[in-house]
Amino acid sequence: VVSLKAFSKFENTAEALEAATKLLESAPSKGLRKFLRAHCDGETLGVADSKLGNAIKEKLKIDCVHNNAVMELLRGVRTQLTELISGLGAQDLAPMSLGLSHSLSRYKLKFSADKVDTMIVQAIGLLDDLDKELNTYAMRVREWYGWHFPELTKIIQDNIMYAKAVKLMGDRANAAKLDFSEVLPEEVETELKEAAVISMGTEISDLDLMNIKDLCDQVLNLSEYRAQLYDYLKSRMNTVAPNLTALVGELVGARLIAHGGSLINLAKQPGSTVQILGAEKALFRALKTKHSTPKYGLIYHASLVGQAAPKHKGKISRSLAAKAALAIRCDALGDDQDNSMGLENRAKLEARLRALEGKELGRSAGSAKGKPKIEVYDKDRKKGAGLITPAKTYNPAADSVLSQITNTAAVDEQDTVPKKKKKVEAELPEIEKAAEVPAIEAKKEKKKKKKKADKEAGLPTNENEPENEEPTEKEKKKHQTEDVENAEVGEKKKKK
């Protein structure tokens, strides 16, 4: 079915690699263009890649075909290549294909030196290990030398300064003669020299001192290397993730990348995950025990969260995580190499933090700062215009004042009480009067009967005594007080 028309071999591996990479990018190489011009003029060309076919058609004006029949033919050609090309054995084809595939794989693994997050993961891991080692070594120096000069531990707090002082001093007896101005501040130096004279430590041999000094050298070398590593990490972070670095700092950013595995993996996470990254144990324990979930993980060590008051830390960490998630995506997938987005978001977060704290301050001080402004609704007022109807005048007669009911207050109150109340109060004394009338008549009848009986018995009677007796002053007062009391009882009942 198939016969060989033309064949052109590559001069070397570099040329073959160049041609293969061009084909991967769906573009014809220089050698391929020359070959096609020489052998395919006026022919139809079958291609395995439709994009490559389009490129050939545009540049060389050769008709190209890409379909299932062509793909089947090409598969057959690949299988029977040794039969079609004379002088090419299967034992030669296999190592050549393998060599080219290795070269091609190496080329495909090309990476931008600016996006090396693997280096960041390793650097932050090493930095944490160095911190642990440094701390262990420094504590060992303090314990070891503390047998000879125990007072020095309290005088010098910094581990590096302690190691430098021990290395310079050796035996505490030398302290008086030495100058510590390069290592220690003046006041600390004076204190050290005074303490060295009256120290209660044990004596120490030269061999022990030599070993302690070697350990001090180790501490100083490690601290120097740590400083170099930190500078390297700083430069890497500013190159790989400038926006994230601007938001949370180099160390926190590097730890987030290391925890996520890589910058791309971290870019796939939402803001809520970025917020609690590093607090997985607490999160799952909280979910299991149905307690409140943690508010922050690694992001807690960012400077913005550190600046916030304890009650605002949760809000700020949530906002920071949301902005950090955007910054990570921008760094991982964006083309820009500057940190403008990170700086802009940091400014927004700082403004939010100030607003939160300002609101709290305003509220505690009793001012209206931070509170919503409430406008009084006025139906007569149009937007941007004056009053539709004239303003209503104040009516003092509508006010009602409650006061204790006395003889004078009872009179004043009658003017302001509504009509219904007036009616009820007016009816009360009439009822009382009606109740008093039969009682007075009964008294009169009794007196008449008594007089009759006295006349019949022949007793002297008081003729001057009038028949219709008027009530005395005492009785009048008594009636008045009874009326007032009855009115008060009625008022109380009404109120109830």
Side-chain angles (χ1 to χ4, degrees):
V1 176
V2 176
S3 61
L4 183 67
K5 184 176 179 181
F7 176 72
S8 172
K9 68 172 188 174
F10 297 114
E11 294 296 322
N12 50 38
T13 314
E15 196 182 332
L17 179 63
E18 189 190 345
T21 50
K22 284 274 187 183
L23 287 173
L24 282 173
E25 292 162 7
S26 302
S29 63
K30 194 176 179 182
L32 179 62
R33 286 203 298 272
K34 276 184 184 176
F35 179 81
L36 290 173
R37 277 198 193 100
H39 299 285
C40 292
D41 198 26
E43 301 277 350
T44 304
L45 184 67
V47 291
D49 184 2
S50 58
K51 287 182 181 177
L52 179 65
N54 289 334
I56 291 169
K57 197 172 182 180
E58 279 177 22
K59 289 181 180 177
L60 305 172
K61 307 291 186 251
I62 297 169
D63 289 333
C64 296
V65 179
H66 170 74
N67 53 31
N68 288 337
V70 170
M71 294 303 287
E72 189 64 27
L73 271 172
L74 284 168
R75 190 185 66 79
V77 167
R78 275 199 300 275
T79 312
Q80 305 295 333
L81 196 60
T82 51
E83 301 294 325
L84 290 165
I85 301 166
S86 56
L88 179 66
Q91 69 277 9
D92 298 326
L93 185 62
M96 282 195 286
S97 301
L98 188 65
L100 182 61
S101 63
H102 279 179
S103 303
L104 193 59
S105 299
R106 272 198 292 276
Y107 179 75
K108 279 175 79 176
L109 275 174
K110 68 176 182 189
F111 51 79
S112 162
D114 301 333
K115 299 276 179 193
V116 193
D117 48 11
T118 318
M119 304 301 167
I120 289 169
V121 173
Q122 297 300 331
I124 191 67
L126 181 56
L127 196 72
D128 289 342
D129 292 344
L130 274 175
D131 283 335
K132 282 180 189 173
E133 288 298 315
L134 256 172
N135 199 31
T136 310
Y137 280 22
M139 293 313 294
R140 185 66 60 202
V141 169
R142 282 176 182 272
E143 281 184 28
W144 203 346
Y145 194 72
W147 289 103
H148 177 58
F149 191 179
E151 291 82 4
L152 189 63
T153 307
K154 284 187 179 177
I155 294 167
I156 303 172
Q157 299 293 330
D158 186 63
N159 289 334
I160 308 305
M161 281 166 69
Y162 187 93
K164 284 179 180 175
V166 170
K167 189 184 172 187
L168 181 63
M169 181 166 52
D171 197 314
R172 66 167 187 260
N174 304 331
K177 296 176 262 177
L178 293 168
D179 178 28
F180 292 93
S181 56
E182 290 182 10
V183 181
L184 303 170
E186 196 177 331
E187 60 274 8
V188 176
E189 185 184 349
T190 313
E191 197 179 344
L192 184 148
K193 285 179 177 176
E194 285 172 3
V197 178
I198 55 164
S199 176
M200 55 177 283
T202 60
E203 292 301 319
I204 196 166
S205 67
D206 292 340
L207 185 64
D208 295 334
L209 271 174
M210 190 173 71
N211 278 296
I212 292 168
K213 282 182 178 179
D214 287 344
L215 185 55
C216 289
D217 285 335
Q218 289 287 329
V219 170
L220 295 171
N221 290 340
L222 276 174
S223 68
E224 198 177 322
Y225 175 54
R226 189 201 175 281
Q228 288 175 7
L229 187 66
Y230 180 67
D231 289 339
Y232 164 74
L233 182 67
K234 217 171 178 179
S235 67
R236 286 284 82 206
M237 277 299 291
N238 282 316
T239 312
V240 176
N243 293 305
L244 180 63
T245 306
L247 269 176
V248 297
E250 296 88 10
L251 288 175
V252 178
R255 285 200 176 95
L256 285 171
I257 292 169
H259 203 84
S262 70
L263 193 63
I264 294 290
N265 284 357
L266 196 62
K268 293 172 187 172
Q269 307 290 354
S272 55
T273 305
V274 172
Q275 186 182 347
I276 55 162
L277 216 59
E280 290 85 358
K281 200 174 175 183
L283 172 71
F284 293 122
R285 185 174 62 238
L287 292 172
K288 197 176 177 182
T289 56
K290 293 191 172 66
H291 284 84
S292 55
T293 51
K295 290 178 183 171
Y296 22 63
L298 291 166
I299 213 164
Y300 181 79
H301 301 289
S303 61
L304 274 167
V305 179
Q307 288 169 26
K311 58 183 170 184
H312 298 141
K313 280 192 196 298
K315 283 181 183 175
I316 286 296
S317 65
R318 186 166 63 245
S319 305
L320 180 61
K323 297 292 183 194
L326 293 175
I328 292 159
R329 286 166 202 169
C330 188
D331 291 329
L333 310 166
D335 297 327
D336 300 333
Q337 289 297 315
D338 62 340
N339 60 354
S340 55
M341 182 221 179
L343 291 170
E344 189 183 331
N345 284 335
R346 188 182 174 89
K348 283 180 185 174
L349 287 166
E350 282 171 351
R352 173 157 168 70
L353 181 60
R354 280 197 300 275
L356 278 171
E357 286 174 352
K359 195 190 289 181
E360 289 303 314
L361 283 171
R363 205 172 287 162
S364 62
S367 70
K369 192 180 177 185
K371 292 179 184 175
K373 191 179 177 184
I374 299 164
E375 289 182 3
V376 180
Y377 172 70
D378 191 352
K379 63 180 181 180
D380 295 333
R381 192 180 291 280
K382 274 185 177 176
K383 283 184 182 176
L387 294 172
I388 302 165
T389 55
K392 295 170 186 173
T393 53
Y394 178 68
N395 181 17
D399 293 345
S400 65
V401 181
L402 293 172
S403 59
Q404 290 182 348
I405 298 169
T406 56
N407 291 338
T408 53
V411 177
D412 296 341
E413 199 180 22
Q414 282 175 3
D415 301 335
T416 55
V417 175
K419 284 182 182 178
K420 278 186 181 178
K421 283 188 179 179
K422 274 188 179 180
K423 274 186 182 178
V424 174
E425 283 176 53
E427 283 168 13
L428 272 171
E430 286 173 13
I431 292 162
E432 285 165 10
K433 281 175 186 176
E436 282 171 15
V437 168
I440 293 162
E441 284 175 356
K443 272 185 183 180
K444 282 178 182 177
E445 279 181 12
K446 268 187 183 180
K447 280 185 179 179
K448 280 178 183 178
K449 281 178 183 177
K450 199 179 177 185
K451 276 180 183 179
K452 255 188 183 181
D454 289 345
K455 275 179 183 180
E456 285 170 5
L459 291 167
T461 55
N462 189 6
E463 293 296 328
N464 300 330
E465 193 177 77
E467 280 187 18
N468 297 335
E469 281 185 351
E470 287 289 321
T472 59
E473 284 294 321
K474 276 187 181 179
E475 283 177 346
K476 279 180 184 177
K477 280 182 183 178
K478 195 178 179 184
H479 286 312
Q480 276 180 2
T481 52
E482 279 175 3
D483 293 348
V484 172
E485 281 172 10
N486 288 336
E488 280 179 2
V489 171
E491 279 290 317
K492 282 179 185 175
K493 279 181 183 176
K494 276 180 215 164
K495 279 180 186 175
K496 279 181 184 178

